[in-house]
């Protein structure tokens, strides 16, 4: 999977916005998007949120995990544990990049959040490398890949190819 | 996007070879020292060192892998294959001592592939060969993986020069992953660029024709 493909899938996640226009309920193939009333929060997919934001028609509310304290907790937990801990969301890297690039004014402490997410990412990828190395050393036939999001799959595929060679 | 216009057939795993894989075809060109166990009448022209009409029994020659595999039979009436130097006892101890210092490209660019194929020839040292191959791979894997994931936008010829073909494939796939991720981070992944096919084709543009 390409990083662009993973980003495309990440845009399907929902985020809360506050529109400044009004529109009736719209019926799309993927689902219905509720009526838009100025000033009232509504759940929309990220692709729509970003589009509206770029046209200055809404304000994006930060996701509940995009908070400095919460991310700090997650980072500490990730550093303590040897195994993978549950990530804030399946697409935390992509969502961080998308939201912080287009809507950083709506998200408090955007730079700190970016740093924290990068730290979490670095810790997880170091764990991935370590586990891949020990996996090869012990010649296990397969490994259980849990809690790893899209971008990592490329690395994992590379490794399982090698295992196949040596099995 | 790194999609290709065709999917090349990968080399075979373990002791098999894929008939259509280019890597396996090149691999089977490697020469093996071989001893003839029976006479080959009227094939003397194959052996440059003697001038006889036919190849007498007991001649030592070098034959490519594809020929040796085809002629080899368990009952050993036709050929007996010796192990190339790299798979013998002496080199095996070097590999077990420290796999990372060896220049596997010089040892025959298809070290792992040829080693797997050698297991077809029922030598008494087969279990040792298989074990050495595996241990060498394991020992070198960490370095290959780390170097492929950390060498961004650098000249990698020094790193790649000592790798065997299998390791080169892994290195390349690691680099692709890294480049893809970095270009995504920079935002280049969503920019539209002209495809290399179009640029190479050098179609005359309407603007240029009209001018």
């Amino acid at each position: 999977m390409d990083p662009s493909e993973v980003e495309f899938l990440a845009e399907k996640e929902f985020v809360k916005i506050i529109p400044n226009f009004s529109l009736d309920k719209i019926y799309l193939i993927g689902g219905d998007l509720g009526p838009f009333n100025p000033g009232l929060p509504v759940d929309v997919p990220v692709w729509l949120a970003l589009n509206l934001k770029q046209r200055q028609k809404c304000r994006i509310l930060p996701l509940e995990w995009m908070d400095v304290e919460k991310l700090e907790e997650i980072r500490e937990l990730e550093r303590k544990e040897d195994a993978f801990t549950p990530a804030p969301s399946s697409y935390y890297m992509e969502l961080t990049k998308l939201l912080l690039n287009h809507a950083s004014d709506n998200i408090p402490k955007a730079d700190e959040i970016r740093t924290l997410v990068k730290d979490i990412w670095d810790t997880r990828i170091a764990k991935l490398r370590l586990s891949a190395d020990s996996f090869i050393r012990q010649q296990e036939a397969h490994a259980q890949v849990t809690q790893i999001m899209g971008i990592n799959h490329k690395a994992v595929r590379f490794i399982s190819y090698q295992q196949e060679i040596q099995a | 996007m790194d999609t290709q216009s065709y999917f090349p057939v990968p080399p075979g795993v373990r002791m098999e070879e894929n008939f259509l894989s280019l890597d396996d075809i090149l691999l089977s060109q490697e020469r093996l020292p071989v001893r003839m166990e029976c006479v080959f009448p009227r094939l003397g022209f194959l052996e440059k060192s003697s001038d006889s009409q036919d190849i007498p029994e007991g001649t030592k020659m070098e034959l490519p892998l594809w020929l040796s595999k085809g002629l080899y039979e368990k009952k050993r009436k036709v050929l007996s294959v010796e192990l190339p130097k790299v798979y013998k006892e002496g080199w095996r101890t070097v590999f077990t001592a420290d796999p990372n210092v060896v220049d596997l490209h010089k040892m025959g660019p298809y070290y792992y592939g040829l080693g797997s194929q050698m297991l077809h020839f029922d030598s008494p040292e087969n279990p040792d060969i298989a074990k050495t191959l595996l241990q060498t791979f394991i020992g070198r894997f960490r370095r290959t993986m780390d170097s492929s994931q950390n060498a961004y936008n650098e000249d990698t010829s020094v790193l790649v020069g000592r790798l065997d073909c299998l390791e080169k494939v892994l290195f390349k796939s690691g680099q692709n992953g890294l480049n893809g991720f970095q270009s995504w981070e920079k935002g280049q992944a969503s920019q539209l660029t002209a495809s290399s096919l179009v640029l190479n084709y050098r179609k005359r543009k309407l603007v240029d024709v009209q001018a």
Side-chain angles (χ1 to χ4, degrees):
Chain A
M1 268 213 153
D2 256 331
S4 339
E5 288 171 11
V6 181
E7 185 180 300
F8 183 73
L9 293 176
E11 287 177 342
K12 281 177 26 170
E13 298 285 313
F14 278 89
V15 73
K16 260 196 164 34
I17 63 164
I18 297 184
N20 60 18
F21 60 97
S22 63
L23 189 59
D24 282 334
K25 199 167 183 193
I26 50 178
Y27 301 98
L28 303 176
I29 294 177
D32 302 337
L33 292 178
F36 295 83
N37 294 312
L40 291 180
V42 62
D43 272 326
V44 295
V46 169
W47 55 267
L48 185 60
L50 290 180
N51 187 285
L52 291 175
K53 174 77 191 175
Q54 281 169 339
R55 294 191 287 166
Q56 295 172 331
K57 286 186 184 288
C58 78
R59 186 161 71 89
I60 299 187
L61 297 176
L63 297 166
E64 52 123 8
W65 54 262
M66 243 186 213
D67 166 58
V68 176
E69 280 115 28
K70 228 169 184 215
L71 287 177
E72 272 178 359
E73 264 177 45
I74 294 178
R75 180 182 65 171
E76 292 315 314
L77 188 62
E78 191 79 47
R79 283 182 179 166
K80 259 189 350 191
E81 295 282 325
D82 281 336
F84 279 98
T85 52
S89 136
S90 316
Y91 293 104
Y92 70 98
M93 277 293 282
E94 290 81 5
L95 289 176
T96 314
K97 178 186 169 236
L98 287 169
L99 292 177
L100 291 181
N101 280 350
H102 297 285
S104 55
D105 50 338
N106 292 152
I107 299 178
K109 301 201 197 159
D111 287 333
E112 281 187 35
I113 291 185
R114 220 189 275 253
T115 325
L116 286 169
V117 165
K118 188 106 200 349
D119 285 343
I120 297 177
W121 158 261
D122 285 335
T123 318
R124 287 168 70 89
I125 207 158
K127 281 192 199 170
L128 177 68
R129 300 236 180 97
L130 208 62
S131 70
D133 185 42
S134 70
F135 160 57
I136 292 272
R137 269 177 209 283
Q138 291 160 24
Q139 301 170 43
E140 284 157 27
H142 67 278
Q144 197 180 17
V145 173
T146 52
Q147 315 284 4
I148 300 185
M149 40 62 107
I151 300 266
N152 289 14
H153 283 159
K154 189 119 196 181
V156 172
R157 200 199 328 152
F158 153 68
I159 289 155
S160 51
Y161 170 66
Q162 298 162 330
Q163 242 341 67
E164 193 194 286
I165 296 294
Q166 283 300 337
Chain B
M1 296 274 231
D2 58 348
T3 47
Q4 299 165 308
S5 49
Y6 82 108
F7 292 102
V9 178
V13 287
R14 291 213 212 180
M15 284 168 54
E16 297 158 8
E17 280 181 81
N18 270 341
F19 186 70
L20 295 173
S21 155
L22 288 177
D23 279 325
D24 278 342
I25 294 174
L26 289 175
L27 157 69
S28 58
Q29 264 301 101
E30 296 281 333
R31 287 171 178 272
L32 302 174
V34 143
R35 185 175 171 273
M36 311 301 211
E37 299 287 352
C38 76
V39 185
F40 285 82
R42 296 206 301 268
L43 287 178
F45 63 92
L46 285 177
E47 216 220 326
K48 304 287 162 80
S49 54
S50 78
D51 290 321
S52 54
Q53 256 265 317
D54 36 71
I55 308 181
E57 193 177 319
T59 322
K60 292 207 178 198
M61 279 178 66
E62 291 217 329
L63 290 183
L65 176 72
W66 53 271
L67 197 51
S68 317
K69 251 177 95 172
L71 290 174
Y72 182 77
E73 269 197 47
K74 266 206 160 63
K75 300 173 203 131
R76 301 225 192 130
K77 257 182 37 178
V78 188
L79 288 181
S80 70
V81 179
E82 279 175 26
L83 296 174
K85 260 195 335 208
V86 229
Y87 303 100
K88 283 209 173 126
E89 189 67 47
W91 273 104
R92 290 213 296 270
T93 42
V94 174
F95 286 121
T96 38
D98 185 1
N100 276 314
V101 296
V102 188
D103 185 349
L104 273 193
H105 189 76
K106 217 167 52 139
M107 302 287 136
Y110 291 100
Y111 177 71
Y112 298 111
L114 190 58
S116 311
Q117 293 305 313
M118 290 305 300
L119 302 175
H120 275 293
F121 294 122
D122 296 330
S123 143
E125 301 171 44
N126 269 1
D128 292 321
I129 301 177
K131 217 171 69 141
T132 314
L133 282 181
L134 204 53
Q135 295 298 328
T136 319
F137 180 73
I138 291 173
R140 291 169 69 100
F141 166 69
R142 184 69 205 249
R143 196 174 273 203
T144 317
M145 174 173 82
D146 285 343
S147 61
S148 80
Q149 291 288 306
N150 289 315
Y152 180 59
N153 247 357
E154 288 166 15
D155 180 19
T156 54
S157 50
V158 177
L159 298 162
V160 174
R162 302 171 68 88
L163 299 180
D164 164 84
C165 283
L166 174 72
E167 292 168 345
K168 279 203 189 108
V169 170
L170 297 172
F171 186 87
K172 194 158 150 261
S173 125
Q175 283 271 299
N176 283 345
L178 179 70
N179 288 337
F181 180 69
Q182 291 296 341
S183 79
W184 172 77
E185 278 254 295
K186 285 194 274 191
Q188 276 172 0
S190 47
Q191 284 173 348
L192 296 174
T193 49
S195 153
S196 57
L197 291 174
V198 171
L199 291 173
N200 289 340
Y201 200 50
R202 270 184 279 183
K203 258 180 112 114
R204 294 168 302 173
K205 296 200 186 128
L206 195 58
V207 181
D208 298 335
V209 172
Q210 278 174 347

